[in-house]
Amino acid sequence: MEEKTIKTALISVYHKDLLDEILQKMAELNITIISTGGTKEFIEESGYKVTAVEELTHYPSILGGRVKTLHPKIFGGILGRMNHSGDLKELEQYEIPPVDLVVVDLYPFEDTVKSGASEEDIIEKIDIGGIALIRAAAKNFNDVVVIPSRDHYGDLLKILTEGKGKTTLAERKRMALHAFNTTSHYDTGIFCYFNKDKEVNVFKQSVLQSKPLRYGENPHQRGTFYGAFNDLFHQLHGKEISYNNLLDIEAAVYLIDDFREKTFAILKHNNACGVASRPSLAEAWKDALAGDPVSAFGGILITNAEVDADTASEIDALFFEVIIAPAFEIKALDILKKKKNRIILLRKPVELPVVQFRSLLNGVIGQDRDIRTESKSDMKPVTVKVPTDAEYDDLVFANKIVKHTKSNTIVLAKNKQLIASGVGQTSRVDALKQALVKAKEFGFSVAGGVMASDAFFPFTDSVEIANEAGIKVVVQPGGSVRDNDSITFCDNHDMAMVFTGVRHFKH
């Protein structure tokens, strides 16, 4: 039958705070309610009639509540097919009342894991009966409507109010879809908890939240963000965030998180075009912008400090897409909000994932996120000349930026300021040449600066070009069979070079 009228409902929920209006509507429609445990007590205390599961099964709740609804008289009522003569005969024979509506809200397994609870508490939050009820009701959508979580109480209220307790086949099938989405997500969370040591090498991820985007990377591509963006940021102002904005935002966040000093960064197409660390934020902004004021147009701005009114006034002169900070002065917000489309994001103190995934061909590849950041102690001098303390500071600064820049890349820095970079080139020499051209274009002298490379130098050409330009201090991972050639050249030309032993490719 296409349309069904709800006559009997089974309710078993963990969170009960949103049930009041539903119970009222059910009472108005004379729907019989079956329940057990804490849900039954809540319904009774709310002043509504309820039939205990134990009255139907003639069996008590056992094993400390682990077994309550798992009984043929309950599941028979849910799974019985109303158009199947054999099912109807057995329901009558065993005095099993048909159930038209199943309302479940599962034990909060994921929240319990996140809370840092003991394993014993976590295991007890694995819902057994609730999952079985949802699956049974969803399987029998021809006759039963299922509400699989409190997120769908609104759907139930619509059925009870607008539909007067009647459901169509399309509605029941749609709720079955949501039910299996709920159960598959729940089971994935449990599996991932047990598989945290990756003993079973499979790819299982489940994200319930999604947000359609205006389009993907280009207007002819569809785009969707799967995740809880609002857990990470509070959007204070501006237009809808785009696919490309999201890519830049991720790159910006990962970059700025490697800096402890007051730092401002400007990114374009996932790469830094300006970075500076300074005692004051206004200085950091000014020097970050000076690194490449052309590329900064339409870029993504990020800082690890509160944005004050003075800095906001300087920033306001530039057209940019997004600004991200851990805090904003009220006056700063007033200034930045003058442009209606500017996206202003307030960061929340949330830990970011340490594993990355990417779709590839007909599968998915995963890796640990590159969270390695080298300090002075990780930089091994390999030349006779050793960097000064100030030069080491610049080497650490440049090496952080090179880690977050598309390969092949070369980063040039001086006085904790990005003065140029060569980005995404097919050869490291081309990346260096690009960086030198940009430094000259924006009025920087590279003499006294440092050079950082994301990977080793296979030949001496890079250090030769750097020396000719006046760069005398270099950081690179090392590891080439021709390392000694580059070391010898540096020694012969009064250059200092350090190895980190860590490559930072980024593609």
Side-chain angles (χ1 to χ4, degrees):
M1 293 175 62
E2 173 78 15
E3 191 174 77
K4 297 280 185 179
T5 300
I6 299 171
K7 298 176 182 177
T8 303
L10 188 148
I11 306 177
S12 178
V13 298
Y14 183 84
H15 295 100
K16 304 164 184 68
D17 49 322
L18 301 174
L19 278 181
D20 294 318
E21 191 175 356
I22 290 171
L23 293 171
Q24 181 183 338
K25 294 296 181 183
M26 286 184 174
E28 291 172 3
L29 294 169
N30 294 314
I31 295 172
T32 299
I33 299 174
I34 302 169
S35 191
T36 186
T39 307
K40 172 181 164 292
E41 291 176 8
F42 177 86
I43 296 170
E44 288 176 330
E45 289 170 2
S46 299
Y48 299 99
K49 291 182 181 180
V50 58
T51 300
V53 164
E54 293 80 0
E55 289 181 39
L56 297 177
T57 63
H58 304 297
Y59 235 94
S61 172
I62 62 173
L63 305 181
R66 281 188 163 197
V67 181
K68 292 178 286 196
T69 57
L70 295 168
H71 193 280
K73 280 212 168 183
I74 299 301
F75 281 85
I78 298 170
L79 288 164
R81 293 163 289 185
M82 296 299 102
N83 62 351
H84 192 285
S85 60
D87 285 7
L88 293 174
K89 184 178 179 180
E90 289 185 336
L91 291 177
E92 183 179 2
Q93 178 183 353
Y94 296 110
E95 299 180 336
I96 300 173
V99 174
D100 314 293
L101 166 66
V102 172
V103 183
V104 176
D105 185 56
L106 297 168
Y107 290 166
F109 177 82
E110 285 185 303
D111 289 344
T112 305
V113 173
K114 290 176 184 176
S115 73
S118 67
E119 180 161 275
E120 181 181 359
D121 289 339
I122 290 170
I123 298 305
E124 286 307 308
K125 286 299 186 289
I126 298 176
D127 205 313
I128 303 300
I131 282 281
L133 290 170
I134 293 171
R135 290 176 62 85
K139 177 176 180 176
N140 199 23
F141 66 85
N142 276 316
D143 297 298
V144 181
V145 61
V146 58
I147 303 299
S149 77
R150 60 176 172 170
D151 293 337
H152 295 285
Y153 285 178
D155 294 298
L156 178 54
L157 280 171
K158 185 176 180 180
I159 290 169
L160 296 175
T161 53
E162 296 179 19
K164 304 299 182 185
K166 298 180 187 295
T167 62
T168 64
L169 180 62
E171 286 174 326
R172 296 192 297 275
K173 193 169 184 178
R174 182 175 68 86
M175 293 313 302
L177 169 67
H178 287 298
F180 287 119
N181 180 38
T182 297
T183 58
S184 64
H185 177 80
Y186 196 80
D187 284 338
T188 298
I190 295 169
F191 169 79
C192 290
Y193 170 75
F194 279 93
N195 196 43
K196 51 181 175 282
D197 294 330
K198 308 301 179 187
E199 183 177 343
V200 181
N201 191 15
V202 295
F203 178 75
K204 283 187 188 291
Q205 292 288 312
S206 179
V207 180
L208 291 178
Q209 300 96 326
S210 66
K211 178 179 175 57
L213 304 172
R214 295 197 305 275
Y215 49 80
E217 213 161 358
N218 300 291
H220 62 278
Q221 296 170 271
R222 287 184 297 178
T224 304
F225 175 72
Y226 299 97
F229 185 80
N230 292 337
D231 287 353
L232 304 178
F233 305 96
H234 178 40
Q235 185 169 350
L236 303 176
H237 185 71
K239 63 183 179 180
E240 186 179 346
I241 294 171
S242 72
Y243 182 99
N244 291 326
N245 289 155
L246 288 168
L247 293 176
D248 284 329
I249 288 166
E250 180 190 57
V253 166
Y254 287 154
L255 170 64
I256 204 69
D257 281 355
D258 274 347
F259 290 87
R260 297 293 171 264
E261 293 179 85
K262 194 171 289 185
T263 301
F264 222 116
I266 307 168
L267 288 88
K268 195 76 171 286
H269 295 294
N270 312 157
N271 295 297
C273 58
V275 185
S277 296
R278 294 290 182 264
S280 79
L281 194 62
E283 289 178 290
W285 162 250
K286 178 183 175 183
D287 289 342
L289 180 62
D292 186 345
V294 174
S295 296
F297 182 85
I300 306 293
L301 318 182
I302 191 166
T303 180
N304 54 8
E306 181 181 45
V307 177
D308 56 81
D310 290 342
T311 306
S313 295
E314 296 292 330
I315 294 169
D316 187 54
L318 177 74
F319 168 73
F320 60 90
E321 289 274 331
V322 182
I323 183 169
I324 310 164
F328 294 87
E329 286 185 359
I330 294 176
K331 289 183 179 179
L333 284 176
D334 291 340
I335 294 167
L336 296 172
K337 286 181 178 180
K338 289 177 183 177
K339 304 290 194 299
K340 67 176 183 178
N341 286 331
R342 278 179 179 165
I343 297 168
I344 303 175
L345 297 178
L346 178 69
R347 281 193 73 181
K348 297 179 182 179
V350 178
E351 204 168 304
L352 294 166
V354 294
V355 179
Q356 295 175 314
F357 300 103
R358 181 187 294 185
S359 61
L360 183 71
L361 298 174
N362 64 341
V364 174
I365 54 174
Q367 66 170 357
D368 296 335
R369 183 160 61 86
D370 187 359
I371 56 175
R372 179 78 178 266
T373 303
E374 290 73 49
S375 63
K376 176 182 176 181
S377 62
D378 298 310
M379 295 180 175
K380 175 188 174 186
V382 293
T383 51
V384 173
K385 186 175 182 179
V386 176
T388 65
D389 287 343
E391 288 169 338
Y392 265 121
D393 287 344
D394 278 345
L395 289 173
V396 170
F397 176 89
N399 201 54
K400 289 176 181 178
I401 300 171
V402 88
K403 166 187 164 183
H404 294 280
T405 306
K406 295 293 176 95
S407 299
N408 289 307
T409 182
I410 291 289
V411 164
L412 307 180
K414 183 160 64 172
N415 300 326
K416 297 183 182 179
Q417 179 187 19
L418 172 63
I419 57 175
S421 61
V423 177
Q425 299 301 302
T426 51
S427 80
R428 192 151 281 98
V429 168
D430 285 344
L432 174 54
K433 289 178 179 178
Q434 181 190 56
L436 291 171
V437 168
K438 294 196 78 169
K440 183 177 181 181
E441 180 181 351
F442 295 118
F444 289 103
S445 168
V446 298
V450 304
M451 176 173 77
S453 174
D454 60 336
F456 64 64
F457 299 129
F459 304 103
T460 60
D461 44 11
S462 291
V463 289
E464 289 174 10
I465 295 170
N467 176 67
E468 186 178 342
I471 298 168
K472 292 292 186 177
V473 186
V474 179
V475 57
Q476 59 139 319
S480 169
V481 294
R482 295 186 178 89
D483 276 347
N484 284 334
D485 294 347
S486 294
I487 293 169
T488 298
F489 180 89
C490 288
D491 280 338
N492 291 339
H493 293 82
D494 197 32
M495 296 176 69
M497 184 162 63
V498 298
F499 285 0
T500 63
V502 180
R503 188 182 74 184
H504 287 297
F505 270 168
K506 187 171 186 284
H507 298 102

